[in-house]
Amino acid sequence: MRDITAAPAKRTRAEMRAQNLAAARQYHEREGHLEVPRSHTEHFGGETVRLGSWVSQQRVKAAKLLPERVADLSALGMRWA
């Protein structure tokens, strides 16, 4: 008989966003800016976060983001253009 292992639960979008924002804060604290190269990955919480890609996507979607999301990233010195 084979052992059946449950697949890890998928994270919600809110959880993924919180992890990406926390990784962005970590990067900002270390580097002093949020000019993240698109190919950059950040190690956070034992995982690898594709931070550069996420930051780039936030810039593209800036007009559609909720004001509090814009404020969170602006507080880290996000360059929107």
Side-chain angles (χ1 to χ4, degrees):
M1 189 175 233
R2 295 184 343 199
D3 289 334
I4 298 175
T5 305
K10 288 188 176 185
R11 288 184 293 211
T12 65
R13 285 185 182 198
E15 290 169 335
M16 290 175 18
R17 183 189 170 280
Q19 181 185 38
N20 285 324
L21 185 58
R25 284 190 182 111
Q26 175 179 284
Y27 182 92
H28 182 265
E29 287 173 9
R30 183 181 67 248
E31 303 294 331
H33 59 80
L34 205 57
E35 298 296 320
V36 185
R38 180 140 172 78
S39 63
H40 178 75
T41 57
E42 186 76 7
H43 299 286
F44 179 81
E47 294 186 38
T48 300
V49 177
R50 293 174 48 206
L51 185 61
S53 176
W54 182 77
V55 168
S56 178
Q57 288 174 4
Q58 301 313 293
R59 285 188 184 114
V60 169
K61 299 188 306 187
K64 297 179 183 178
L65 294 177
L66 295 173
E68 57 267 21
R69 292 182 181 177
V70 172
D72 287 342
L73 290 168
S74 293
L76 297 176
M78 175 71 138
R79 176 186 51 81
W80 291 102

